[in-house]
């Protein structure tokens, strides 16, 4: 059998290409080699704009994601298999236009663009033009970052297919079209049944990945629709006062889908949290029932870290006036984000104030093998400074539950998850097993926290709870008590007695109140003049625009969860009440 020599093939290809001698179809081996090489080159060019921009600004935090690189490679292969400029040119020019908008947003705002930003940009187009023209000199690098790789791609697709005999028909053309359509249609199709939080941009994702998410959701769910205008929120700004703080380490742990009543430390009959329960019995752990800021991770993270209490204040998510990371950095803390989940959760959470950001995309194999314990491993590698503010985001009880603990070195299936069981029993057992796994992870985090020196505070909560079949409902996108109520647990060493009295005095602790308490540990006292005692809010499952929100009140009989209400209706009613009071 004749052996294929790729070096000789490439020399032949180059010689024939220079002479213009390739008019017929190349051999099968040469064609495969060309398709592979051109697909690799195209993938590199599609990713190049991020790395070009990173030469000029630090705001672009994009990193390579293996899975996404493979998707782009398959897409590039599809374009070369088709080999028709009528397809490749408009698609690539559309990508270039999206990237001009995306990288301009990253350069101007320091964060990736999302679907809500596109709507806001179009609604205020005159202001966008004015601001863009006035700041063009500061962001000129966006043009070469986008145009150089995309014009090169367009030129290659215009020149090479006919010259190298790559145009094919039949099954090869069909496969190419299938690959291109599959990649282009995947995001828009997903937008037909998923909420905006599934399309949030991630600071460390490829800009093109973020663009496909944002523009797909915008095109399917927001474009050419007239959303009901939301009234301006009537709330007064907070007052921030610097206060002395001796804290050297302030840590916040947010565990996904953590439902209070399934924790034995809260009295659950199954011993799902033996380590936390022991710490509480020894008087080292303060345990309080809590109220989540949202019913999705992205909503909770952004609202908690920005100390948003009252609904209808998107400006607080954009300008980060009361952002915990911002306060921490201003107070001299080194800031960390350590997450077992995707970096998109950092969108609108203040990523530009984070010194060290580590997410699942950064260590995919480690997280695949170690799950949440990968965060513990990564914590051990950090070089702590004199003062550190750390936010740890764990996947814990996220569906599918079994995958969160199945690689653990010790058996975690204390309760069986046989596929023949009824769904409620099987899922309930798997969820309890995952909480047992979380307890083991938290025990290691606490051990590492104990090795630190000086005044230090560790606050543990859930981003939201979880429905486990109650009323036939599952998941966490409903404004129901099982989803809204989360644990608040505080572990501290060498702590201020005043700080501990303040947290002990609370009965229910909302995420907003927890954030305000953390802010004071960071050296900033926050006064929210709009806050009413015993009143709390959950911001639903979307960060921006029209959505359902819920008011929650503390009473002597317990919490009262008021009926969920559209944000527009709540703002209108609140403004009317305020106007009547002013009169």
């Amino acid at each position: 059998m004749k052996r294929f020599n790729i070096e000789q093939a490439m020399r032949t290809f180059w010689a024939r290409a220079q002479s213009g001698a390739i008019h017929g179809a190349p051999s099968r081996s040469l064609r495969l080699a060309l398709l592979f090489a051109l697909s690799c080159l195209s993938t590199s060019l599609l990713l190049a704009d991020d790395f070009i921009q990173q030469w000029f600004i630090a705001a672009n935090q994009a990193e390579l994601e293996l899975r996404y690189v493979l998707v782009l490679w398959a897409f590039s292969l599809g374009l070369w298999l088709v080999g028709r400029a009528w397809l490749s040119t408009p698609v690539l020019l559309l990508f270039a236009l999206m990237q001009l908008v995306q990288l301009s947003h990253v350069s101007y705002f320091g964060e990736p663009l999302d679907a809500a930003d596109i709507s806001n940009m179009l609604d205020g187009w005159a202001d966008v033009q004015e601001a863009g023209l006035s700041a063009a000199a500061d962001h000129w690098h966006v043009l070469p970052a986008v145009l150089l790789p995309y014009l090169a791609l367009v030129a290659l697709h215009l020149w090479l297919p006919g010259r190298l005999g790559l145009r094919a028909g039949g099954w090869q053309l069909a496969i190419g079209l299938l690959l291109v359509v599959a990649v282009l249609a995947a995001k828009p199709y997903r937008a037909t049944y998923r909420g905006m939080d599934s399309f949030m941009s991630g600071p460390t994702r490829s800009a093109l990945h973020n663009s496909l998410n944002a523009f797909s959701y915008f095109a399917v769910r927001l474009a050419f629709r007239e959303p009901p205008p939301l009234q301006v929120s009537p709330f007064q700004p907070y007052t921030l006062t610097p206060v002395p703080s001796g804290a050297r380490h302030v840590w916040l742990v947010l565990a996904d889908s953590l439902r209070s009543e399934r924790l034995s430390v809260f009295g659950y009959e199954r011993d799902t949290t033996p380590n936390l329960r022991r710490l509480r019995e020894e008087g080292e752990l303060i345990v309080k029932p809590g109220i989540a800021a949202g019913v999705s991770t992205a909503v909770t993270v952004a609202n908690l870290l920005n100390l948003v209490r009252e609904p209808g204040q998107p400006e607080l998510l954009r300008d980060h006036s009361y952002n915990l990371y911002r306060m921490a950095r201003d107070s001299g803390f080194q800031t960390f984000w350590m997450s077992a989940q995707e970096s998109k959760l950092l969108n609108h959470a203040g990523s530009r104030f984070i010194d060290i950001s580590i997410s699942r995309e950064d260590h995919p194999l480690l997280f695949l093998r170690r799950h949440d314990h990968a965060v513990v491993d990564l914590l051990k590698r950090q070089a702590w400074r004199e003062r550190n503010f750390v936010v740890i985001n764990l996947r814990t009880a996220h569906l599918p539950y079994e995958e969160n603990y199945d690689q653990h070195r010790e058996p975690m299936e204390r309760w069986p998850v046989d596929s023949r069981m009824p769904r409620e029993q099987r899922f309930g057992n798997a969820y309890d097993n995952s909480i047992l796994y979380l307890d083991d992870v938290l025990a290691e985090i606490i051990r590492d926290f104990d090795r630190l020196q000086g005044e230090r505070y560790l606050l543990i909560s859930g981003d939201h709870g979880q429905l486990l079949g109650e009323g036939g409902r599952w998941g966490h996108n409903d404004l129901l008590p099982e989803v809204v109520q989360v644990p608040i647990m505080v572990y501290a060493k060498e702590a201020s007695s005043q700080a501990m009295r303040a947290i002990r005095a609370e009965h229910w602790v909302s995420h907003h109140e927890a954030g305000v308490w953390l802010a004071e540990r960071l050296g900033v006292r926050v006064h929210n003049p709009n806050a009413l005692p015993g009143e709390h809010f959950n911001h639903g499952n979307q960060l921006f625009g029209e959505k359902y929100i819920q008011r929650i009140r503390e009473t002597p009989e317990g919490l009262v969860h008021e009926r969920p209400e559209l944000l527009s209706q709540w703002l209108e009613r609140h403004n009317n009440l305020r106007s009547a009071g002013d009169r």
Side-chain angles (χ1 to χ4, degrees), residues 76-88:
S76 299
L77 175 63
L79 283 182
W80 287 113
L81 283 171
V82 173
R84 269 70 170 179
W86 57 262
L87 176 64
S88 59

Side-chain angles (χ1 to χ4, degrees), residues 97-319:
L97 179 61
M98 291 192 304
Q99 290 301 86
L100 283 171
V101 177
Q102 179 69 258
L103 294 191
S104 296
H105 193 276
V106 170
S107 183
Y108 192 92
F109 293 101
E111 290 185 331
L113 178 89
D114 60 32
D117 293 322
I118 300 173
S119 295
N120 294 332
M121 178 183 67
L122 295 177
D123 290 341
W125 183 243
D127 292 335
V128 171
Q129 285 181 303
E130 182 179 359
L133 289 173
S134 66
D138 297 323
H139 308 285
W140 63 270
H141 60 267
V142 172
L143 284 175
V146 175
L147 295 182
L148 287 176
Y150 278 92
L151 289 179
L153 276 168
V154 170
L156 289 172
H157 277 277
L158 286 173
W159 180 64
L160 288 182
R163 192 172 181 83
L164 301 182
L166 293 178
R167 292 194 182 101
W171 65 269
Q172 296 182 57
L173 176 62
I175 290 176
L177 287 171
L178 181 63
L179 286 172
V180 172
V181 171
V183 173
L184 292 180
K187 297 290 186 181
Y189 172 72
R190 192 168 180 239
T192 63
Y193 65 89
R194 297 295 296 269
M196 188 186 295
D197 57 316
S198 297
F199 292 82
M200 300 304 293
S201 299
T204 60
R205 277 184 168 171
S206 158
L208 183 57
H209 192 171
N210 287 330
S211 291
L212 290 171
N213 271 329
F215 284 93
S216 295
Y217 189 87
F218 172 78
V220 173
R221 301 289 288 271
L222 302 178
F224 310 114
R225 299 184 182 185
E226 194 63 37
L230 296 175
Q231 294 190 17
V232 176
S233 58
F235 305 111
Q236 299 299 311
Y238 302 175
T239 300
L240 305 183
T241 306
V243 294
S245 173
R248 291 183 56 186
H249 303 278
V250 180
W251 289 19
L252 167 65
V253 177
L254 280 178
D256 205 318
S257 309
L258 193 56
R259 180 169 164 176
S260 303
E261 62 186 41
R262 305 291 286 216
L263 311 182
S264 57
V265 72
F266 275 80
Y268 184 44
E269 63 270 15
R270 287 180 170 177
D271 197 7
T272 53
T273 54
N275 293 300
L276 294 177
R277 178 181 51 77
R278 176 182 52 80
L279 287 174
R280 182 181 188 181
E281 291 171 352
E282 293 172 354
E284 300 220 29
L285 185 71
I286 299 173
V287 176
K288 299 287 181 179
I291 300 166
V295 295
S296 74
T297 308
V299 174
T300 288
V301 169
N303 281 283
L304 191 163
L305 292 177
N306 288 293
L307 301 187
V308 179
R309 178 183 177 274
E310 293 77 19
Q313 301 183 92
E315 67 279 2
L316 300 188
L317 301 175
R318 299 184 189 281
D319 61 28

Side-chain angles (χ1 to χ4, degrees), residues 59-78:
N60 189 320
Q61 303 172 41
E63 301 170 357
L64 290 177
E65 300 176 45
L66 177 60
R67 183 172 62 177
Y68 187 64
V69 170
L70 294 176
V71 170
L72 283 186
W73 190 90
F75 171 77
S76 299
L77 175 63

Side-chain angles (χ1 to χ4, degrees), residues 358-369:
I358 300 176
S359 298
R360 186 172 68 189
E361 296 98 328
D362 297 310
H363 302 274
L365 296 180
L366 177 62
F367 279 100
L368 183 64
R369 181 171 56 87

Side-chain angles (χ1 to χ4, degrees), residues 391-402:
V391 179
I392 300 169
N393 175 229
L394 301 175
R395 190 168 177 83
T396 55
H398 194 287
L399 278 166
Y401 308 123
E402 297 96 317

Side-chain angles (χ1 to χ4, degrees), residues 507-566:
H507 180 63
W508 292 88
V509 181
S510 70
H511 274 160
H512 175 75
E513 291 172 331
V516 169
W517 185 82
L518 288 169
E520 190 151 350
R521 312 288 73 76
L522 297 171
V524 180
R525 181 167 295 147
V526 179
H527 172 65
N528 179 357
N530 314 287
L532 298 176
E535 180 187 58
H536 312 283
F537 294 95
N538 187 287
H539 296 264
N541 66 350
Q542 294 192 48
L543 276 176
F544 299 104
E546 183 68 287
K547 58 185 176 182
Y548 279 98
I549 55 99
Q550 186 176 52
R551 180 173 179 251
I552 302 156
R553 294 182 294 108
E554 293 183 47
T555 72
E557 292 75 33
L559 287 186
V560 174
H561 295 74
E562 296 188 355
R563 184 176 180 179
E565 187 174 9
L566 282 172

